Each structure stands twice: as C-alpha cells, then as structure tokens.
Amino acid sequence: MSKNLTVHVRTGTAGAVIELTGELDHHTAPDVRDTLPGLGLQPGQQLVLDLAGLTFLDSTGLTVLIAARNHALATDATIALAAVPDRVSRIIRVLGLNQLFPTHPTAQDADTAWQSEQR
C-alpha cells in the first residue's frame, strides 16, 4: 500500500494552513493526525485545511477533518476549509458537517474572512 498524500504546513495570516494533496484515507490519515500537535495554534487563531489538491477522501479522512476541528477548538482557535473539491463538498453537506466547517474558495479567502471577523 502506498501513501499517496502530501501534507504541507505553512503559516497564513490567521494561523496554520495545512495543504493536503492526494488521497486522505485509512493509510494516510495518521500523517495528518501526527501534524496537529506541532502546529502551535494559539487562542483566537484559525486553522485552515486547504483541500485543493485532495483527490480522494474516505470515512477515515472525514474523521481526520473532525480531529483537526477538535484540535483547533481545544486551543480556542477556529477552523475553516478551503478549496473543497465538489465531490468532497457534497459528502460534507450530506453528512451535515457543513454546519461545523466554514468553507472558502481559497486559503487566502479564509484568511481574509478571519481578518474581517477580528475587526
């Protein structure tokens, strides 16, 4: 089994941005989970998950999104999804997870929305 996921972490205006490229599934979920504790999120910041490069998401991948949300909330930060592919967006809507995850067309749009909320 190959791990077809690249996890890239960078710092945006609002806080950490995790860019996911490839397949988020049972085999690759630990890669994302292991990244969360080292993000250094501070209260009031925002964690952005940039899903532009995501090609596949299964139920384990969905639990990783929820784990990321829980991590952000535990540090008194918020979370947003960016560039959610249509097929993933549909799954999120059908499961009602759109109530938990604000979404934005790009990570930059998520940063801009966060900045607007800070004013």
Side-chain angles (χ1 to χ4, degrees):
M1 308 256 162
S2 67
K3 289 190 173 189
N4 298 319
L5 182 73
T6 301
V7 179
H8 176 75
V9 179
R10 63 181 175 81
T11 302
T13 305
V17 178
I18 301 176
E19 298 172 352
L20 301 177
T21 304
E23 301 174 2
L24 181 52
D25 59 18
H26 173 73
H27 301 288
T28 61
D31 296 343
V32 180
R33 276 198 188 104
D34 293 345
T35 302
L36 297 174
L39 293 176
L41 282 175
Q42 300 295 315
Q45 288 186 321
Q46 175 177 255
L47 170 60
V48 177
L49 300 178
D50 186 338
L51 307 182
L54 201 64
T55 58
F56 179 79
L57 177 79
D58 70 2
S59 60
T60 307
L62 287 170
T63 64
V64 168
L65 299 183
I66 294 168
R69 178 182 183 272
N70 291 344
H71 177 76
L73 294 178
T75 60
D76 291 324
T78 60
I79 190 165
L81 303 180
V84 182
D86 289 340
R87 62 194 168 283
V88 175
S89 181
R90 182 175 183 277
I91 292 167
I92 288 171
R93 276 192 323 272
V94 166
L95 294 175
L97 296 175
N98 56 321
Q99 302 299 313
L100 303 178
F101 293 101
T103 59
H104 303 277
T106 67
Q108 180 59 49
D109 290 330
D111 272 355
T112 300
W114 176 85
Q115 288 174 336
S116 294
E117 292 172 5
Q118 301 307 304
R119 294 185 187 139

